[in-house]
Amino acid sequence: GNSVTQMEGPVTLSEEAFLTINCTYTATGYPSLFWYVQYPGEGLQLLLKATKADDKGSNKGFEATYRKETTSFHLEKGSVQVSDSAVYFCALSRGAQKLVFGQGTRLTINP
Amino acid sequence: GAVVSQHPSRVICKSGTSVKIECRSLDFQATTMFWYRQFPKQSLMLMATSNEGSKATYEQGVEKDKFLINHASLTLSTLTVTSAHPEDSSFYICSAPWGGTPLAGPHIEFTDTQYFGPGTRLTVL
Protein backbone atom coordinates (compact mmCIF):
# COMPACT_ATOMS: atom_id res chain seq x y z
CA GLY A 1 0.00 0.00 0.00
CA ASN A 2 0.89 3.66 0.12
CA SER A 3 2.75 5.05 3.12
CA VAL A 4 5.03 7.88 4.14
CA THR A 5 7.71 7.75 6.80
CA GLN A 6 9.39 10.88 8.00
CA MET A 7 12.04 11.75 10.48
CA GLU A 8 10.89 11.69 14.05
CA GLY A 9 11.02 14.88 15.95
CA PRO A 10 11.12 17.12 17.65
CA VAL A 11 13.99 18.87 15.92
CA THR A 12 15.61 21.87 17.57
CA LEU A 13 18.11 24.05 15.74
CA SER A 14 19.74 27.41 16.12
CA GLU A 15 18.95 30.22 13.75
CA GLU A 16 20.91 30.06 10.46
CA ALA A 17 21.56 26.33 10.85
CA PHE A 18 21.11 23.91 7.95
CA LEU A 19 17.93 21.86 8.05
CA THR A 20 17.18 18.40 6.70
CA ILE A 21 13.98 16.52 7.43
CA ASN A 22 14.00 13.07 5.91
CA CYS A 23 11.00 11.59 4.15
CA THR A 24 10.68 8.24 2.39
CA TYR A 25 7.64 6.71 0.80
CA THR A 26 6.20 3.49 -0.54
CA ALA A 27 3.63 3.70 -3.27
CA THR A 28 2.13 1.95 -6.22
CA GLY A 29 2.69 3.86 -9.41
CA TYR A 30 4.16 7.33 -9.44
CA PRO A 31 2.57 9.57 -6.85
CA SER A 32 2.94 13.30 -6.49
CA LEU A 33 4.87 14.30 -3.37
CA PHE A 34 4.25 17.23 -1.05
CA TRP A 35 5.54 19.02 1.99
CA TYR A 36 2.94 20.78 4.12
CA VAL A 37 3.64 23.10 7.03
CA GLN A 38 1.42 23.82 10.00
CA TYR A 39 2.06 26.97 12.02
CA PRO A 40 0.60 27.18 15.52
CA GLY A 41 -3.16 27.65 15.45
CA GLU A 42 -3.40 27.44 11.66
CA GLY A 43 -4.36 24.85 9.08
CA LEU A 44 -1.84 22.92 7.01
CA GLN A 45 -0.41 24.93 4.14
CA LEU A 46 1.27 23.58 1.05
CA LEU A 47 4.98 24.39 1.22
CA LEU A 48 6.17 22.71 -1.97
CA LYS A 49 5.44 19.81 -4.26
CA ALA A 50 6.93 17.64 -7.02
CA THR A 51 4.93 15.64 -9.49
CA LYS A 52 7.52 13.42 -11.17
CA ALA A 53 10.92 11.87 -10.65
CA ASP A 54 13.86 14.31 -10.43
CA ASP A 55 11.52 17.28 -10.03
CA LYS A 56 12.66 19.79 -7.43
CA GLY A 57 10.04 21.68 -5.47
CA SER A 58 11.08 24.92 -3.81
CA ASN A 59 9.48 27.70 -1.82
CA LYS A 60 10.56 30.19 0.86
CA GLY A 61 14.11 28.85 0.75
CA PHE A 62 13.00 25.24 1.27
CA GLU A 63 13.77 22.58 -1.34
CA ALA A 64 12.99 18.91 -1.88
CA THR A 65 13.85 16.64 -4.80
CA TYR A 66 11.72 13.68 -5.90
CA ARG A 67 14.13 10.72 -5.88
CA LYS A 68 12.52 7.66 -7.38
CA GLU A 69 15.60 5.48 -6.96
CA THR A 70 15.66 6.02 -3.20
CA THR A 71 11.91 6.69 -2.84
CA SER A 72 12.73 9.85 -0.93
CA PHE A 73 11.65 13.48 -0.78
CA HIS A 74 13.86 15.07 1.88
CA LEU A 75 13.19 18.66 2.89
CA GLU A 76 16.16 21.02 3.14
CA LYS A 77 16.83 24.64 3.93
CA GLY A 78 20.22 26.25 4.02
CA SER A 79 19.63 28.77 6.78
CA VAL A 80 16.60 28.48 9.03
CA GLN A 81 14.87 31.35 10.80
CA VAL A 82 12.86 31.50 14.01
CA SER A 83 9.75 32.00 11.88
CA ASP A 84 10.27 28.53 10.37
CA SER A 85 9.27 26.95 13.67
CA ALA A 86 6.27 24.75 12.83
CA VAL A 87 5.22 21.16 12.21
CA TYR A 88 6.18 19.79 8.79
CA PHE A 89 4.31 16.97 7.07
CA CYS A 90 5.49 14.96 4.11
CA ALA A 91 2.67 13.53 1.98
CA LEU A 92 1.92 11.71 -1.23
CA SER A 93 -1.11 11.87 -3.44
CA ARG A 94 -3.01 8.65 -4.04
CA GLY A 95 -5.03 10.15 -6.81
CA ALA A 96 -8.39 11.96 -6.71
CA GLN A 97 -6.60 14.45 -4.47
CA LYS A 98 -6.46 12.01 -1.57
CA LEU A 99 -3.35 12.47 0.54
CA VAL A 100 -1.33 10.04 2.64
CA PHE A 101 0.67 11.83 5.33
CA GLY A 102 3.76 11.12 7.36
CA GLN A 103 3.54 11.57 11.11
CA GLY A 104 4.84 15.13 11.11
CA THR A 105 8.06 16.62 12.43
CA ARG A 106 7.98 19.46 14.92
CA LEU A 107 10.72 21.99 14.23
CA THR A 108 11.82 24.60 16.76
CA ILE A 109 14.34 27.27 15.84
CA ASN A 110 16.04 29.12 18.67
CA PRO A 111 17.38 32.65 18.21
CA GLY B 1 -4.67 32.67 0.39
CA ALA B 2 -7.93 30.80 0.52
CA VAL B 3 -9.49 30.11 3.87
CA VAL B 4 -11.14 27.02 5.23
CA SER B 5 -12.64 27.36 8.69
CA GLN B 6 -13.71 24.78 11.23
CA HIS B 7 -16.06 25.15 14.12
CA PRO B 8 -15.71 24.53 16.96
CA SER B 9 -11.97 24.59 17.45
CA ARG B 10 -12.28 22.60 20.65
CA VAL B 11 -15.12 20.57 22.16
CA ILE B 12 -15.46 18.47 25.27
CA CYS B 13 -18.46 16.18 25.58
CA LYS B 14 -19.76 13.33 27.68
CA SER B 15 -19.67 9.75 26.50
CA GLY B 16 -22.80 8.84 24.55
CA THR B 17 -23.53 12.28 23.18
CA SER B 18 -23.20 13.39 19.57
CA VAL B 19 -20.93 16.16 18.38
CA LYS B 20 -21.14 18.10 15.11
CA ILE B 21 -18.09 19.69 13.51
CA GLU B 22 -18.45 22.18 10.67
CA CYS B 23 -16.04 22.80 7.82
CA ARG B 24 -16.53 25.85 5.61
CA SER B 25 -14.73 27.13 2.55
CA LEU B 26 -14.99 30.87 2.93
CA ASP B 27 -13.98 32.17 -0.48
CA PHE B 28 -14.43 29.37 -2.99
CA GLN B 29 -16.86 26.63 -3.84
CA ALA B 30 -15.86 23.18 -2.72
CA THR B 31 -17.78 20.31 -4.28
CA THR B 32 -15.47 17.92 -2.48
CA MET B 33 -14.07 18.09 1.02
CA PHE B 34 -11.98 15.60 2.94
CA TRP B 35 -12.09 14.69 6.61
CA TYR B 36 -8.94 13.54 8.38
CA ARG B 37 -8.27 12.32 11.88
CA GLN B 38 -5.00 12.78 13.71
CA PHE B 39 -3.90 10.93 16.83
CA PRO B 40 -1.15 12.38 19.02
CA LYS B 41 2.26 12.12 17.38
CA GLN B 42 0.76 10.28 14.43
CA SER B 43 -0.03 11.21 10.90
CA LEU B 44 -3.32 12.47 9.53
CA MET B 45 -5.51 9.57 8.43
CA LEU B 46 -8.10 10.13 5.74
CA MET B 47 -11.53 9.17 7.05
CA ALA B 48 -13.88 10.07 4.25
CA THR B 49 -14.58 12.15 1.19
CA SER B 50 -17.53 14.51 1.43
CA ASN B 51 -19.33 15.09 -1.87
CA GLU B 52 -21.82 17.89 -2.43
CA GLY B 53 -25.10 16.46 -3.62
CA SER B 54 -24.23 12.82 -3.03
CA LYS B 55 -23.25 10.40 -0.30
CA ALA B 56 -19.88 10.55 1.34
CA THR B 57 -17.38 7.83 0.58
CA TYR B 58 -15.60 6.31 3.54
CA GLU B 59 -12.14 4.82 3.83
CA GLN B 60 -11.77 1.21 4.79
CA GLY B 61 -12.31 0.66 8.49
CA VAL B 62 -14.21 3.89 9.11
CA GLU B 63 -17.73 3.35 10.44
CA LYS B 64 -20.11 5.42 8.37
CA ASP B 65 -22.88 5.16 10.97
CA LYS B 66 -20.49 6.46 13.59
CA PHE B 67 -19.13 9.36 11.57
CA LEU B 68 -22.00 10.97 9.68
CA ILE B 69 -21.02 13.37 6.93
CA ASN B 70 -23.34 15.84 5.24
CA HIS B 71 -22.20 18.16 2.47
CA ALA B 72 -25.04 20.62 2.85
CA SER B 73 -23.90 23.23 0.35
CA LEU B 74 -20.98 24.13 -1.89
CA THR B 75 -19.25 25.76 1.07
CA LEU B 76 -20.21 23.58 4.03
CA SER B 77 -19.54 20.03 5.13
CA THR B 78 -20.37 18.69 8.57
CA LEU B 79 -19.00 15.70 10.45
CA THR B 80 -21.15 14.33 13.25
CA VAL B 81 -19.58 11.91 15.69
CA THR B 82 -22.53 9.93 16.99
CA SER B 83 -22.66 8.34 20.43
CA ALA B 84 -19.14 9.49 21.10
CA HIS B 85 -16.83 7.43 23.29
CA PRO B 86 -13.41 8.23 24.76
CA GLU B 87 -11.68 6.38 21.94
CA ASP B 88 -13.17 8.93 19.52
CA SER B 89 -11.13 11.66 21.18
CA SER B 90 -8.85 13.03 18.51
CA PHE B 91 -7.98 15.99 16.32
CA TYR B 92 -10.26 16.24 13.28
CA ILE B 93 -9.14 18.21 10.24
CA CYS B 94 -10.97 19.00 7.04
CA SER B 95 -9.59 20.05 3.70
CA ALA B 96 -11.08 21.42 0.51
CA PRO B 97 -9.36 21.19 -2.85
CA TRP B 98 -9.52 24.23 -5.06
CA GLY B 99 -12.35 23.44 -7.44
CA GLY B 100 -12.11 26.37 -9.81
CA THR B 101 -14.97 28.61 -8.67
CA PRO B 102 -14.29 31.53 -6.34
CA LEU B 103 -17.01 33.21 -4.36
CA ALA B 104 -17.64 36.92 -4.77
CA GLY B 105 -15.22 39.09 -2.87
CA PRO B 106 -11.64 40.29 -2.98
CA HIS B 107 -9.54 38.65 -5.62
CA ILE B 108 -7.45 35.81 -4.27
CA GLU B 109 -4.81 33.98 -6.17
CA PHE B 110 -5.78 30.33 -5.92
CA THR B 111 -3.51 27.44 -6.64
CA ASP B 112 -4.19 23.91 -7.69
CA THR B 113 -3.92 22.60 -4.20
CA GLN B 114 -5.85 21.75 -1.10
CA TYR B 115 -6.75 24.17 1.66
CA PHE B 116 -6.92 22.88 5.21
CA GLY B 117 -8.97 23.94 8.18
CA PRO B 118 -7.22 24.58 11.51
CA GLY B 119 -8.68 21.46 13.08
CA THR B 120 -11.08 20.58 15.89
CA ARG B 121 -9.90 18.97 19.11
CA LEU B 122 -12.54 16.55 20.40
CA THR B 123 -12.31 15.22 23.94
CA VAL B 124 -14.87 12.67 25.07
CA LEU B 125 -15.08 12.14 28.81
Side-chain angles (χ1 to χ4, degrees), chain A residues 11-16 80-82 84-85 107-111:
Chain A
V11 174
T12 302
L13 296 172
S14 298
E15 205 165 19
E16 299 183 2
V80 292
Q81 306 300 314
V82 172
D84 294 327
S85 298
L107 173 66
T108 301
I109 307 300
N110 294 321

Side-chain angles (χ1 to χ4, degrees), chain A residues 33-53:
Chain A
L33 300 175
F34 306 84
W35 276 100
Y36 281 85
V37 59
Q38 185 176 33
Y39 298 104
E42 299 182 17
L44 276 74
Q45 302 172 24
L46 179 65
L47 180 59
L48 53 85
K49 68 177 182 181
T51 57
K52 61 183 188 298

Side-chain angles (χ1 to χ4, degrees), chain A residues 8-109:
Chain A
E8 286 214 23
V11 174
T12 302
L13 296 172
S14 298
E15 205 165 19
E16 299 183 2
F18 183 86
L19 169 71
T20 300
I21 301 178
N22 291 336
C23 172
T24 57
Y25 67 91
T26 57
T28 52
Y30 301 98
S32 293
L33 300 175
F34 306 84
W35 276 100
Y36 281 85
V37 59
Q38 185 176 33
Y39 298 104
E42 299 182 17
L44 276 74
Q45 302 172 24
L46 179 65
L47 180 59
L48 53 85
K49 68 177 182 181
T51 57
K52 61 183 188 298
D54 300 326
D55 265 3
K56 178 185 282 189
S58 62
N59 185 27
K60 298 181 181 180
F62 290 90
E63 293 183 340
T65 302
Y66 191 142
R67 302 283 189 200
K68 192 177 74 170
E69 63 276 13
T70 55
T71 62
S72 65
F73 192 56
H74 304 321
L75 182 68
E76 296 182 338
K77 185 174 185 181
S79 177
V80 292
Q81 306 300 314
V82 172
S83 57
D84 294 327
S85 298
V87 182
Y88 292 81
F89 292 90
C90 185
L92 64 81
S93 174
R94 280 171 39 194
Q97 299 174 316
K98 295 182 178 181
L99 295 170
V100 176
F101 286 90
Q103 72 267 39
T105 302
R106 181 175 299 277
L107 173 66
T108 301
I109 307 300

Side-chain angles (χ1 to χ4, degrees), chain B residues 52-115:
Chain B
E52 193 272 336
S54 64
K55 290 183 179 179
T57 54
Y58 291 82
E59 296 299 302
Q60 192 172 12
V62 177
E63 299 176 59
K64 61 181 181 181
D65 294 331
K66 173 76 168 174
F67 299 99
L68 300 180
I69 290 173
N70 181 30
H71 203 126
S73 73
L74 288 170
T75 58
L76 173 63
S77 174
T78 59
L79 169 68
T80 301
V81 183
T82 62
S83 187
H85 291 284
E87 57 266 29
D88 299 323
S89 299
S90 193
F91 196 57
Y92 293 88
I93 300 172
C94 70
S95 73
W98 163 240
T101 306
L103 299 176
H107 173 73
I108 295 174
E109 193 69 28
F110 292 100
T111 59
D112 182 20
T113 185
Q114 290 200 43
Y115 296 93

